[in-house]
């Protein structure tokens, strides 16, 4: 087979750039050869460099020779092959010519069949078109059914959501919204209405949030109204638990108005309030209200990602409600009902919060609740302290104490710290004791006002036993005496003793159930009793003994009464030990003792001073009756009537001193004698008396003698001999000097310790001498005697003045 190489058209062949374009134009053979080399190189990556080497080398001729030789060998092989198959080729051509006639027949038959098939196919095509259209409609129907199957749940769920929103069923609505968003809408995400629904979901969530917030406001308002009732039920249960009086937790109105229904469920918070009042007693405080709305709102806000917002709002609103609940009624101090309602509201608030703490999934935490309780307990303590300070009814204060204790027990059951309430009870106790003491002030005053201040006299054993039962006074002499018997004290003593015991019992009544130890209880009672004795009773007694118009015998009896009340102090100590259940420790004197002894001693000291003052005042009344005729011509020969009456009064008075301590009687007797002597001396030296006769001095001398006789008989035992007479020694020496006119002795012995007239003051003697000299001028004696008397008096007066001058000079 001959191989020919077709030359490329130079006009259409694109040549690669060449370094020498001019050389190419001069040697077209070289250029053609070069192009052939490029084509050879482009044939194959392996053969191209080989051909390039042949053409570039000097063996081109050899290569061409060998190539020609190889071509000829192949031509011979091709020729042999063609000769071998030639006969078969001829036979095939002959068979092909025979087939051509048959093919023509077949073509004619095929054309005929085709025409028939075309005719039949036209009807089939028409039916096929109809079938295709029907299939398309069927397919569209199936697609529509599938689409509706996907969309109907979405639309149904959305319709359900709208209905739940209209019915304010926000918690189910939120669940429906979540189902719509996460389950159904993703299935129809390609539809336009689904996108609109998806875009509308945030607005629906916001609507649910606002609507649920509105409902929780209604719930909080309703729970504020029902918290008082919850607190009452909780306190009633606590009263039963601690064996306290359940009536403390019962209001005046036994019937309760129905509460508003739950804003979420429409149910009432209470069980049927009147028909099922007995059943309500069995309820817990939390059973009176449905807390489901709180949990639903919490869940709604949690799902909406606004839990913190809801917690903040709920706690803030409850804090505000706590402040409202902690505001006491303005007239709370007037009756127990005000305290009840106030404490019911506080208990109800914290019972509700404790329930939310335990069931609210963190809505209320213990630190938050402790913080609110710390704030509330301080306000509760201050409010009760302020209002109870106005209370003056001891029975009401006891009920307040019991109510506070029930309040503390109730809150303690829920885990709240109630130490401030126990401290408040101690403060209320102090105020209660103050109120008691104010009450006992009037009690003591009534006793003092009604007492006759005469020793009690009993006529029968029954009367005697009645006194002994009230005041255990034991005296063997009195017990052995026959009736009628006379106690040394008046009715004031047993009455005061009985009232002090009643006061001790009233103090102890407040201390019951205060969880005080035996020692603390005893100390409290002793302290209160000491205050009663040292302040209340002491003040009443001090007022009594200084009461205007109180007679001396009454003062004496009061002093005797204080003596017996002082002895009764030991009885009161035993009574305190007995009633408080403590054991007296005699090894520790002064420990736990009452301070009545010192108080009664002080009061008795004041009473004794008042006795001395009253005695002197009574003596002055008798002395005021003295009407001396200072120019008397002759003395009466007997003492003056006022002195006789005074002595009789003193004798009877000092007889009443027998029940007083000897010291008091001695002091009073000594004070009376000194006061009489000074008063008589003052009469002689008075500036109102300008002149005096010797007979008047003699009359005074007779009165002094009567007084000296009284002193000599010692109306009060225990004086040393002559002690009372010494009270009149100054007056006696002065009168003796003028009666005997022993001036020479006086003047000679003046200044000597052994002087007979040692107690005579020259100045006093001068005053009386001058008055006698003035009296001599009246001329009551003969001229001779008057002249001698005048000279004597002037001489004595001159010498006395010299003594006085010497005394001042020295």
């Amino acid at each position: 087979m001959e191989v020919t190489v077709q030359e490329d058209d130079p006009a259409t062949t694109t040549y690669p750039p060449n370094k020498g374009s001019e050389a190419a134009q001069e040697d077209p053979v070289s250029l053609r050869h070069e192009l052939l080399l490029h084509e050879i190189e482009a044939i194959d990556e392996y053969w191209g460099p080989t051909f390039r080497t042949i053409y570039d080398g000097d063996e081109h001729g050899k290569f061409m020779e060998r190539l020609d030789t190889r071509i000829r060998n192949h031509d011979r092989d091709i020729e042999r092959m063609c000769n071998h198959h030639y006969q078969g080729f001829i036979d095939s051509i002959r068979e092909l010519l025979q087939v051509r006639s048959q093919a023509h027949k077949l073509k004619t038959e095929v054309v005929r069949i085709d025409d028939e098939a075309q005719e039949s196919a036209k009807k089939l095509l028409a039916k096929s078109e109809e079938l295709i259209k029907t299939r398309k409609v069927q397919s569209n129907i199936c697609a529509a059914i599938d689409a509706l199957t996907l969309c109907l749940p979405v639309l149904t769920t959305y319709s359900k959501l709208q209905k739940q929103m209209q019915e304010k069923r926000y918690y189910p609505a939120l669940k429906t919204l979540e189902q719509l968003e996460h389950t159904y809408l993703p299935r129809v995400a390609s539809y336009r209405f689904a996108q609109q629904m998806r875009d509308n979901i945030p607005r629906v969530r916001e609507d649910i949030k606002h609507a649920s917030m509105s409902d929780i406001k209604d719930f909080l308002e309703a729970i504020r109204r029902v918290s008082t009732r919850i607190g009452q039920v909780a306190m009633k249960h606590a009263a039963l638990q601690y064996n306290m009086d359940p009536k403390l937790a019962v209001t005046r109105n036994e019937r309760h108005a129905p509460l508003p229904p739950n804003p979420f469920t429409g149910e009432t918070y209470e069980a049927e309030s009147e028909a099922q009042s007995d059943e309500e007693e069995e309820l817990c405080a939390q059973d009176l209200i449905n807390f489901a709305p709180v949990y639903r709102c919490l869940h709604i806000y949690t799902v909406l990602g606004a839990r913190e917002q809801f917690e903040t709002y709920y706690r803030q609103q409850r804090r505000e409600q706590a402040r409202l609940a902690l505001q006491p009624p303005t007239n709370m101090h007037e009756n127990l009902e005000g305290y009840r309602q106030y404490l019911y509201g506080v208990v109800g608030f914290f019972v509700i919060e404790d329930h939310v703490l335990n069931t609210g999934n963190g809505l209320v935490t213990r630190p938050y609740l402790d913080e609110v309780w710390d704030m509330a307990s301080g306000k509760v303590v201050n409010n009760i302290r302020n209002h109870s300070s106005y209370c003056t009814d001891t029975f009401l204060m006891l009920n307040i104490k019991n109510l506070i204790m029930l309040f503390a027990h109730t809150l303690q059951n829920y885990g709240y710290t109630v130490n401030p309430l126990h401290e408040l009870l101690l403060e209320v106790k102090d105020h209660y004791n103050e109120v008691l003491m104010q009450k006992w002030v009037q009690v003591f005053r009534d006793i003092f006002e009604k007492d006759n201040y005469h020793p009690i006299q009993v006529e029968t054993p029954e009367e005697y036993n009645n006194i002994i039962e009230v005041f255990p006074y034991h005296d063997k002499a009195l017990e052995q005496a026959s009736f009628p018997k006379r106690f040394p004290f008046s009715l004031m003593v047993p009455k005061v003793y009985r009232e002090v015991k009643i006061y001790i019992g009233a103090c102890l009544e407040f201390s019951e159930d205060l969880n005080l130890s035996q020692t603390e209880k005893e100390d409290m009672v002793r302290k209160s009793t000491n205050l009663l004795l040292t302040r209340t009773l002491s003040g009443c007694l001090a007022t009594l003994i200084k009461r205007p118009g109180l007679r001396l015998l009454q003062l004496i009896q009061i002093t005797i009464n204080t003596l017996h009340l002082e002895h009764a102090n030991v009885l009161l100590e035993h009574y305190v030990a007995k009633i408080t259940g403590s054991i007296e420790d005699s090894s520790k004197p002064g420990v736990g003792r009452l301070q009545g002894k010192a108080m009664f001693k002080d009061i008795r000291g004041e009473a004794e001073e008042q006795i001395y003052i009253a005695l002197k005042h009574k003596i002055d009344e008798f002395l005021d009756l003295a009407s001396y005729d200072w120019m008397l011509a002759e003395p009466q020969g007997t003492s003056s009537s006022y002195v006789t009456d005074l002595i009789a009064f003193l004798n009877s008075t000092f007889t009443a001193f027998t029940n007083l301590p000897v010291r008091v009687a001695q002091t009073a007797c000594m004070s009376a004698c000194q006061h009489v002597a000074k008063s008589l001396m003052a009469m002689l030296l008075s500036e109102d008396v300008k002149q005096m006769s010797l007979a008047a001095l003699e009359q005074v001398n007779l009165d002094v003698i009567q007084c000296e006789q009284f002193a000599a008989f010692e109306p009060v035992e225990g004086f040393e001999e002559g002690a009372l007479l010494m009270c009149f020694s100054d007056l006696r020496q002065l009168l003796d000097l003028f009666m005997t006119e022993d001036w020479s002795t006086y003047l000679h012995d003046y200044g000597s310790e052994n002087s007979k007239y040692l107690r005579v003051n020259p100045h006093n003697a001068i005053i009386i001498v001058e008055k006698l000299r003035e009296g001599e001028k009246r001329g009551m004696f003969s001229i001779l005697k008057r002249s001698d008397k005048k000279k004597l008096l002037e001489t004595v007066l001159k010498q006395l003045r010299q003594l006085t001058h010497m005394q001042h000079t020295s």
Side-chain angles (χ1 to χ4, degrees):
M1 183 174 180
E2 186 178 356
V3 177
T4 60
V5 179
Q6 185 178 358
E7 296 181 357
D8 293 332
D9 185 1
T12 59
T13 303
T14 301
Y15 302 101
N18 199 312
K19 295 181 179 180
S21 59
E22 294 179 357
Q25 293 177 359
E26 294 177 358
D27 191 358
V29 176
S30 301
L31 179 58
R32 187 178 181 85
H33 180 67
E34 188 69 27
L35 290 174
L36 181 60
L37 288 176
H38 281 292
E39 291 178 357
I40 291 172
E41 288 178 353
I43 291 173
D44 187 82
E45 292 181 358
Y46 177 77
W47 290 105
T50 304
F51 292 148
R52 180 73 180 178
T53 302
I54 295 171
Y55 277 94
D56 288 340
D58 296 335
E59 299 178 352
H60 181 266
K62 293 180 179 181
F63 174 74
M64 292 302 296
E65 290 177 358
R66 290 184 179 181
L67 183 60
D68 291 336
T69 304
R70 187 69 178 262
I71 290 171
R72 285 192 295 272
N73 290 333
H74 279 293
D75 287 340
R76 284 192 295 269
D77 292 336
I78 291 170
E79 186 177 354
R80 282 194 303 271
M81 186 179 294
C82 289
N83 290 331
H84 177 72
H85 294 286
Y86 181 74
Q87 186 60 44
F89 177 73
I90 294 299
D91 292 337
S92 296
I93 291 299
R94 288 175 181 171
E95 290 176 0
L96 183 59
L97 290 175
Q98 291 176 359
V99 169
R100 185 172 66 177
S101 60
Q102 294 176 357
H104 181 70
K105 292 179 181 180
L106 180 60
K107 179 179 178 182
T108 303
E109 187 66 22
V110 167
V111 170
R112 183 184 61 79
I113 293 173
D114 179 66
D115 290 340
E116 292 177 357
Q118 288 290 338
E119 188 65 27
S120 300
K122 286 181 181 180
K123 296 179 181 180
L124 180 60
L125 288 175
K127 295 295 183 180
S128 298
E129 292 291 336
E130 293 178 2
L131 180 60
I132 290 172
K133 291 180 180 180
T134 302
R135 292 286 186 183
K136 287 183 179 180
V137 171
Q138 184 179 8
S139 175
N140 291 337
I141 291 173
C142 292
I145 291 173
D146 294 338
L148 289 176
T149 302
L150 291 176
C151 294
L152 278 178
V154 177
L155 298 175
T156 303
T157 305
Y158 189 78
S159 177
K160 179 181 177 182
L161 173 64
Q162 295 296 325
K163 184 178 180 180
Q164 290 171 340
M165 291 290 292
Q166 291 175 359
E167 295 175 353
K168 296 185 177 181
R169 298 170 58 203
Y170 301 116
Y171 180 69
L174 189 62
K175 287 201 165 199
T176 302
L177 185 64
E178 292 178 356
Q179 187 179 17
L180 179 66
E181 181 181 14
H182 300 292
T183 303
Y184 295 115
L185 283 180
R187 300 175 183 176
V188 292
S190 59
Y191 297 101
R192 187 183 303 172
F193 76 90
Q195 186 60 39
Q196 292 177 350
M197 288 183 180
R198 189 178 300 277
D199 295 339
N200 199 32
I201 285 176
R203 183 183 62 80
V204 175
R205 281 203 178 98
E206 201 64 28
D207 291 343
I208 292 175
K209 182 188 293 186
H210 290 306
S212 61
M213 182 62 72
S214 175
D215 285 344
I216 200 64
K217 289 178 181 178
D218 296 338
F219 174 79
L220 291 173
E221 180 63 25
I223 206 173
R224 187 180 68 83
R225 294 194 297 269
V226 79
S227 61
T228 300
R229 182 60 182 154
I230 290 177
Q232 180 183 0
V233 174
M235 291 180 67
K236 187 177 296 184
H237 290 173
L240 296 174
Q241 177 183 354
Y242 289 93
N243 296 323
M244 299 181 69
D245 186 3
K247 294 181 180 179
L248 287 171
V250 175
T251 58
R252 292 178 180 175
N253 299 325
E254 296 181 357
R255 298 169 64 90
H256 305 284
L259 296 169
N262 187 305
F264 293 93
T265 64
E267 300 174 351
T268 57
Y269 287 97
E270 292 180 300
E272 302 171 65
S273 58
E274 296 182 17
Q276 299 179 357
S277 58
D278 295 336
E279 295 180 5
E280 188 180 86
E281 299 297 329
E282 304 299 327
L283 295 175
C284 299
Q286 295 83 3
D287 293 336
L288 298 176
I289 190 166
N290 182 13
F291 287 89
V294 178
Y295 311 142
R296 284 195 292 266
C297 287
L298 176 63
H299 183 69
I300 287 172
Y301 273 78
T302 302
V303 172
L304 296 177
R307 179 188 175 95
E308 293 183 1
Q309 178 184 352
F310 178 72
E311 289 178 355
T312 303
Y313 175 80
Y314 178 83
R315 295 177 184 180
Q316 180 181 359
Q317 292 300 313
R318 291 297 282 164
R319 279 194 180 97
E320 293 297 327
Q321 290 186 348
R323 293 187 178 94
L324 292 176
L326 293 171
Q327 292 179 0
T330 54
N331 59 343
M332 186 173 77
H333 62 277
E334 295 180 357
N335 51 58
L336 188 63
E337 187 63 25
Y339 291 93
R340 280 198 188 106
Q341 294 301 321
Y342 177 64
L343 295 181
Y344 289 165
V346 176
V347 171
F349 175 87
F350 285 101
V351 168
I352 291 171
E353 290 304 285
D354 181 79
H355 185 75
V356 176
L357 170 69
N358 296 324
T359 61
N361 193 22
L363 177 60
V364 172
T365 61
R366 175 56 65 182
Y368 154 77
L369 203 53
D370 290 341
E371 177 187 354
V372 177
W373 169 241
D374 290 340
M375 177 272 294
S377 61
K379 289 191 176 182
V380 168
V381 168
N382 289 334
N383 291 331
I384 295 180
R385 180 191 295 121
N386 294 335
H387 282 268
S388 62
S389 63
Y390 295 106
C391 183
T392 56
D393 184 355
T394 54
F395 179 74
L396 176 59
M397 294 196 70
L398 285 174
N399 285 329
I400 292 173
K401 182 265 292 188
N402 293 330
L403 192 62
I404 294 174
M405 289 185 58
L406 179 57
F407 175 74
H409 288 324
T410 304
L411 290 175
Q412 191 173 18
N413 286 343
Y414 289 94
Y416 297 100
T417 304
V418 294
N419 291 334
L421 295 175
H422 294 305
E423 297 173 359
L424 172 65
L425 285 173
L426 298 179
E427 296 180 16
V428 175
K429 173 190 69 65
D430 294 338
H431 179 63
Y432 172 78
N433 292 338
E434 291 291 334
V435 173
L436 281 180
M437 283 190 285
Q438 291 298 323
K439 181 180 179 180
W440 256 252
V441 167
Q442 189 59 44
V443 170
F444 290 143
R445 286 177 179 174
D446 292 341
I447 292 174
F448 298 157
E449 187 68 29
K450 296 176 181 179
D451 195 31
N452 58 7
Y453 298 101
H454 289 291
I456 302 173
Q457 183 170 327
V458 293
E459 304 292 338
T460 62
E462 290 78 13
E463 294 179 359
Y464 179 82
N465 292 331
N466 290 336
I467 300 299
I468 295 301
E469 287 177 2
V470 176
F471 183 69
Y473 177 75
H474 300 287
D475 185 7
K476 290 185 179 180
L478 183 63
E479 292 173 357
Q480 296 173 359
S482 60
F483 288 96
K485 296 183 179 182
R486 176 175 290 186
F487 289 91
F489 45 81
S490 68
L491 278 173
M492 183 187 90
V493 174
K495 286 183 178 180
V496 169
Y497 179 77
R498 180 184 60 190
E499 291 299 331
V500 172
K501 289 175 65 176
I502 294 173
Y503 174 85
I504 293 172
C507 290
L508 191 63
E509 184 179 3
F510 192 94
S511 303
E512 293 179 356
D513 304 323
L514 286 185
N515 297 324
L516 297 177
S517 64
Q518 207 68 34
T519 303
E520 291 174 336
K521 188 182 297 184
E522 181 185 4
D523 292 343
M524 187 209 70
V525 173
R526 291 187 184 276
K527 179 181 177 181
S528 301
T529 308
N530 282 328
L531 285 176
L532 178 73
L533 296 176
T534 59
R535 191 172 72 182
T536 304
L537 183 56
S538 174
C540 292
L541 287 172
T543 304
L544 173 64
I545 62 178
K546 294 180 181 179
R547 182 192 299 173
L550 198 64
R551 297 189 301 275
L552 178 61
L553 292 178
Q554 291 176 327
L555 277 171
I556 294 172
Q557 188 61 57
I558 290 172
T559 306
I560 296 171
N561 290 345
T562 57
L563 182 63
H564 288 281
L565 286 175
E566 179 183 344
H567 294 160
N569 193 74
V570 178
L571 300 176
L572 291 174
E573 290 175 355
H574 290 307
Y575 179 74
V576 170
K578 178 181 178 182
I579 199 173
T580 57
S582 61
I583 301 177
E584 295 182 283
D585 190 356
S586 58
S587 64
K588 297 180 180 180
V591 178
R593 299 297 181 184
L594 297 179
Q595 301 172 1
K597 286 187 175 181
M599 183 276 294
F600 287 120
K601 287 181 181 179
D602 295 339
I603 291 296
R604 190 164 58 254
E606 294 182 13
E608 291 170 1
E609 291 296 329
Q610 292 297 321
I611 288 175
Y612 305 148
I613 295 173
L615 183 59
K616 292 178 181 178
H617 180 70
K618 194 65 178 178
I619 292 172
D620 289 338
E621 289 181 358
F622 284 98
L623 294 176
D624 289 341
L625 298 176
S627 57
Y628 284 104
D629 182 4
W630 296 108
M631 294 305 295
L632 185 66
E634 292 293 336
Q636 298 177 2
T638 59
S639 61
S640 302
S641 60
Y642 82 90
V643 173
T644 303
D645 294 340
L646 175 61
I647 297 303
F649 164 74
L650 291 177
N651 282 324
S652 63
T653 299
F654 290 127
T655 301
F657 275 66
T658 55
N659 291 323
L660 284 175
V662 176
R663 175 188 58 79
V664 178
Q666 290 177 347
T667 303
C669 187
M670 180 68 72
S671 175
C673 293
Q674 289 175 349
H675 187 67
V676 170
K678 289 179 181 179
S679 299
L680 292 175
M681 180 68 80
M683 289 182 186
L684 294 174
L685 302 178
S686 175
E687 294 180 357
D688 296 335
V689 180
K690 303 297 183 183
Q691 51 191 0
M692 184 184 300
S693 67
L694 189 59
L697 276 178
E698 290 178 358
Q699 184 63 44
V700 172
N701 184 50
L702 291 174
D703 294 340
V704 173
I705 290 172
Q706 187 71 24
C707 294
E708 288 175 333
Q709 290 177 352
F710 168 77
F713 283 113
E714 293 185 358
V716 176
E717 297 180 355
F719 283 110
E720 295 182 3
E721 186 177 357
L724 289 178
L725 288 174
M726 289 297 295
C727 298
F728 299 95
S729 60
D730 291 357
L731 188 58
R732 170 49 51 207
Q733 290 183 11
L734 180 63
L735 291 173
D736 287 347
L737 178 61
F738 279 93
M739 293 297 101
T740 60
E741 294 184 349
D742 192 8
W743 295 107
S744 59
T745 304
Y746 174 75
L747 295 172
H748 181 269
D749 295 340
Y750 181 78
S752 174
E753 293 182 357
N754 298 323
S755 174
K756 181 181 179 180
Y757 305 102
L758 181 64
R759 292 181 177 275
V760 177
N761 191 326
H763 178 70
N764 295 340
I766 289 173
I767 293 174
I768 296 177
V769 168
E770 288 179 344
K771 292 181 179 183
L772 289 173
R773 188 181 65 174
E774 291 296 326
E776 290 297 325
K777 293 180 181 180
R778 300 274 303 268
M780 297 180 66
F781 302 100
S782 63
I783 296 175
L784 180 60
K785 288 183 178 181
R786 187 168 63 238
S787 176
D788 294 340
K789 194 71 173 179
K790 182 177 180 182
K791 288 180 180 180
L792 176 62
L793 293 175
E794 288 181 353
T795 301
V796 171
L797 183 60
K798 182 178 179 180
Q799 292 178 350
L800 289 173
R801 286 175 177 171
Q802 288 177 355
L803 286 177
T804 305
H805 179 71
M806 290 173 60
Q807 186 179 11
H808 287 300
T809 303
S810 62

